Every structure is written in structure tokens, then in C-alpha cells.
Amino acid sequence: MNKTNASLTTALLTLSVCVSIASGGAPMGPPIATLEEGQWSISGEFAHDRSDMEATGKVTERFADGEGFSWTQRFDIEDLTSNMLFGNVAYGICDNWSVFVRVGVADAADDVVVTPADSSSVERQDAFDGGYGLAWGIGTRATFCRWGPWAFGGMAQITWFKPGDSDFAITDPLIPDETWSGDVELDFWQTQISLAAVYQVDTWRLWAGPFLQFIEGDMDFNGQALLAGETGELRWTSDLKESSQIGGHVGVSWDFADQWNLWVEGQITGDSWLVGVGAVFTPETFGL
């Protein structure tokens, strides 16, 4: 048993390191393995998330009658609100270790703020309103130990989001007579690594614990700049990251029928929160 637990811990930590390098929120669900060896399940998941992010990148502007120039610009993504819906398939590697894959859609809406670079510039902002786009991810759950009604486990997952593009238009933060207009595109990974203590009472499980989250992605703009009747090309490519990495999560799950389970969770960090719900069906047959 000690060897098995050591192997599970090693596997979880290995995935955690890998996804951290790749490195908001996505639904996590129960932080322990809930499937037996060879057992599989299908589930539907929904979550609503709100978070703040930061982006820094290079803005390049070029007019037809002059040379182009560029500068480094910071952007603040305030109150990024996302609704996400996933289908999830999980498989039990052994009684204390399972893996899963999810595929679904997610949207995004927020305020993108062009932060003043110096005292001569002015803060500008416009709303990003991206429709539903593809989202998918992978993850693993492990139970490290059990004693009586208590269990201690963890999970790690990485989820990729690409919501739809959005129109974006603001006044140049340095030149009040110049306007920028075009399309903004978001494309990012969200990574979460959690630990939790779980207490079981009859058909109910309650859990709570800490988690880490990381975000790595891009916020790109393709458009034009309009100044004094002249139109120039304007582009920016910026690196997206999270504002807060450490948080806590709580949840409860209920086996309301022989093959059915329902769970609800909440996540919170210094700059984000998420509520999620999932319904899980576990067939009686074993093996895929």
C-alpha cells in the first residue's frame, strides 16, 4: 500500500510540474479518485468564473507614408467572466488513481484596460465580448490515504480556452485624435493543482483544501489606427497571465442513485472566484 501511494503521489506531482510549465479556473470536482480499477464514467459539467488577469506585449503601428514604430504596453483584463460547459470521460487506472479528458465550449466577457505607460498617457478601455469557442482539457485524481470516514487526496488538470473574437475600439492613450479599432483574440491555458481533506457521511462527501492556479496565453489585436484622415496598420501581441495564484476550494457530492452522483463546488483566490456543478453517470460494466 505504501508503494502504491508513493507511486500515485509521484504521478500527480509529475503531472503538476508539467502543467505548471505549460501554465483562472475550470471546474475541478471531487479531489479524490472515485472510480475503481477498470471502471469508467461520463459526466456533464458547468461552471461560471470571474477573474482578473494581466497582459504585457508589443504594440506596432505603421502608416503608409511613414516608418512603423513600436512600444511595450501593459493591458489589464478586469472581471473576465466566463461560462463553460464540458462533457467529461474518466477512467480508473487503479482504485486510488483515475484520469479524465473533457471537451466543451466556453465564452468570455470583460473590460480590457490599456494602462497608462507614463504620466503623458491616459487610461483607455473597451469591453471584450467573445462568444462561445472550443475548450478542452485533461487531468488526474488520486487518493493518497484513507482512515475511517476521512480521506486525503488531490487532483491536477490543465484546460485550454479559445473563446470567440471580439470587436475592440478605443482612443489612443497618447494621442487623443487617434482611434484604434479591430478584433481582439484570447487564447490561453489554465492549470490547477489542488489538495483536500474529504469527509464522507453515508452518500455524501464534503471536501475543502488549498489549490494553485496558473494561466499562460496570448491576447492579440489586429486592426487599424485612424489619425487625421489617414489609416494605418495596428497590431499587438501580448502575453497573458494570472493576477492571483493561491486559493481555496470547498465542495459537496451526493450519490443520489446507484450509478449517479451530483457535485457542487466553489473556488476563490484573491482576484477570482468560480462556482461549478457536475452530474456523473458510472455504468455497471468495467473496462473501456
Side-chain angles (χ1 to χ4, degrees):
M1 178 61 72
N2 290 336
K3 184 177 180 181
T4 300
N5 286 339
S7 299
L8 294 176
T9 303
T10 301
L12 181 63
L13 291 177
T14 300
L15 178 59
S16 300
V17 171
C18 291
V19 297
S20 296
I21 293 173
S23 27
M28 292 192 292
I32 59 173
T34 57
L35 298 174
E36 300 176 21
E37 182 178 353
Q39 196 172 28
W40 63 282
S41 68
I42 56 175
S43 61
E45 304 169 335
F46 173 80
H48 178 80
D49 169 75
R50 177 169 291 183
S51 59
D52 294 336
M53 302 183 196
E54 301 171 359
T56 302
K58 183 178 181 181
V59 178
T60 302
E61 185 175 10
R62 182 185 302 274
F63 284 87
D65 59 351
E67 295 184 1
F69 61 96
S70 62
W71 67 96
T72 299
Q73 179 66 57
R74 173 180 165 177
F75 305 89
D76 289 330
I77 294 85
E78 298 182 347
D79 296 330
L80 177 66
T81 302
S82 179
N83 297 295
M84 55 200 83
L85 183 64
F86 293 103
N88 183 309
V89 178
Y91 181 74
I93 303 297
C94 62
D95 290 348
N96 293 318
W97 182 21
S98 62
V99 294
F100 64 88
V101 60
R102 59 161 58 115
V103 178
V105 293
D107 67 353
D110 61 21
D111 290 326
V112 178
V113 179
V114 182
T115 305
D118 52 46
S119 57
S120 64
S121 58
V122 180
E123 179 180 285
R124 309 290 187 185
Q125 75 174 51
D126 192 25
F128 177 92
D129 188 12
Y132 282 94
L134 178 65
W136 67 275
I138 58 173
T140 184
R141 310 179 196 275
T143 303
F144 301 138
C145 57
R146 302 177 189 268
W147 63 99
W150 290 93
F152 180 71
M155 65 88 66
Q157 67 180 16
I158 180 168
T159 312
W160 178 72
F161 294 92
K162 187 177 175 57
D165 299 350
S166 175
D167 296 336
F168 189 78
I170 62 168
T171 302
D172 189 311
L174 286 171
I175 307 173
D177 295 332
E178 180 176 309
T179 58
W180 300 353
S181 62
D183 294 325
V184 171
E185 176 184 281
L186 291 179
D187 183 355
F188 57 94
W189 297 91
Q190 291 184 333
T191 299
Q192 293 171 297
I193 306 161
S194 75
L195 298 172
V198 183
Y199 185 77
Q200 183 164 355
V201 181
D202 295 327
T203 58
W204 295 84
R205 294 188 189 93
L206 297 88
W207 69 83
F211 74 94
L212 296 175
Q213 67 177 11
F214 307 91
I215 295 175
E216 182 174 297
D218 301 306
M219 183 178 71
D220 299 330
F221 174 90
N222 275 317
Q224 58 188 15
L226 180 62
L227 176 64
E230 296 186 18
T231 301
E233 180 183 4
L234 184 72
R235 298 179 183 273
W236 78 57
T237 300
S238 51
D239 295 326
L240 197 66
K241 66 177 183 178
E242 73 287 335
S243 296
S244 180
Q245 295 180 340
I246 301 174
H249 65 116
V250 296
V252 59
S253 69
W254 174 39
D255 296 328
F256 64 92
D258 289 342
Q259 297 172 261
W260 287 92
N261 173 270
L262 180 68
W263 57 260
V264 179
E265 68 169 337
Q267 305 172 20
I268 189 168
T269 73
D271 294 294
S272 68
W273 58 264
L274 176 146
V275 291
V277 61
V280 185
F281 174 69
T282 305
E284 293 182 350
T285 56
F286 283 67
L288 287 175

